[in-house]
Amino acid sequence: MSALAIRDAAPADIPALARVALASYRSAFAAIASPEYLASRTDATFAERFTTSLDRVRLAERDGAVIGFTMVTAGHLDMLFVDPAAQGSGAGSALLADAEARGACTLESFRDNHPARAFYERHGWRLTRAYDRDVGGGVHACVFYEKAPPTAGDGRQD
């Protein structure tokens, strides 16, 4: 397996980002969100979102192929998705570490997204609250996580 690269996303990456987002979204949320909601998410839906927020997106690529990405807004991890075919390759951990280095210290997850929650907890994220909120026209149980930024002398580099 070749080396993983993490870099800023560029406009030419938008189709690949949308493909990864759609595949990951449908895989991760198949048992959580309604089929209608999942069907309403398309490559175009994600491409539009990336077009307006590309400056906040970092991606992971291997052999020139985009396999995952993060979107961070003002210290909040809005998205972390890895192509289902690349899960378990270390891309998610590398993307999360990159997001943390860029200041990500909060995130939200569906309560029932147990694989994602276990992943975040393995990486030191702490559940701080649970609540219900409207997502895609339906009320879903969500959870909020926080992670303190590294402090001076903890061995982590900026």
Side-chain angles (χ1 to χ4, degrees):
M1 191 178 307
S2 66
L4 182 71
I6 308 287
R7 64 172 175 82
D8 291 334
D13 298 315
I14 290 175
L17 290 166
R19 179 193 55 77
V20 169
L22 184 61
S24 300
Y25 208 82
R26 289 185 174 165
S27 174
F29 305 142
I32 299 169
S34 72
E36 297 79 22
Y37 177 70
L38 292 175
S40 74
R41 299 293 172 244
T42 65
D43 285 341
T45 305
F46 287 109
E48 181 178 331
R49 178 142 188 216
F50 294 129
T51 298
T52 61
S53 57
L54 199 60
D55 62 325
R56 297 181 281 131
V57 178
R58 300 262 296 162
L59 62 82
E61 66 182 353
R62 184 171 277 129
D63 297 326
V66 175
I67 61 170
F69 67 89
T70 58
M71 180 185 296
V72 176
T73 306
H76 184 78
L77 181 61
D78 294 313
M79 294 181 166
L80 189 163
F81 287 115
V82 174
D83 189 312
Q87 290 178 358
S89 69
S93 294
L95 284 163
L96 184 58
D98 179 74
E100 290 171 3
R102 291 183 299 124
C105 58
T106 63
L107 65 86
E108 178 183 55
S109 175
F110 286 121
R111 181 199 63 206
D112 295 334
N113 189 350
H114 301 293
R117 292 183 60 192
F119 170 79
Y120 294 126
E121 290 169 10
R122 276 194 313 275
H123 287 86
W125 288 75
R126 183 176 48 88
L127 176 67
T128 59
R129 67 179 187 233
Y131 49 93
D132 292 334
R133 83 172 183 93
D134 185 4
V135 179
V139 175
H140 292 276
C142 294
V143 290
F144 195 83
Y145 281 86
E146 295 181 14
K147 185 170 185 182
T151 58
D154 72 355
R156 291 177 62 174
Q157 296 192 12
D158 294 334

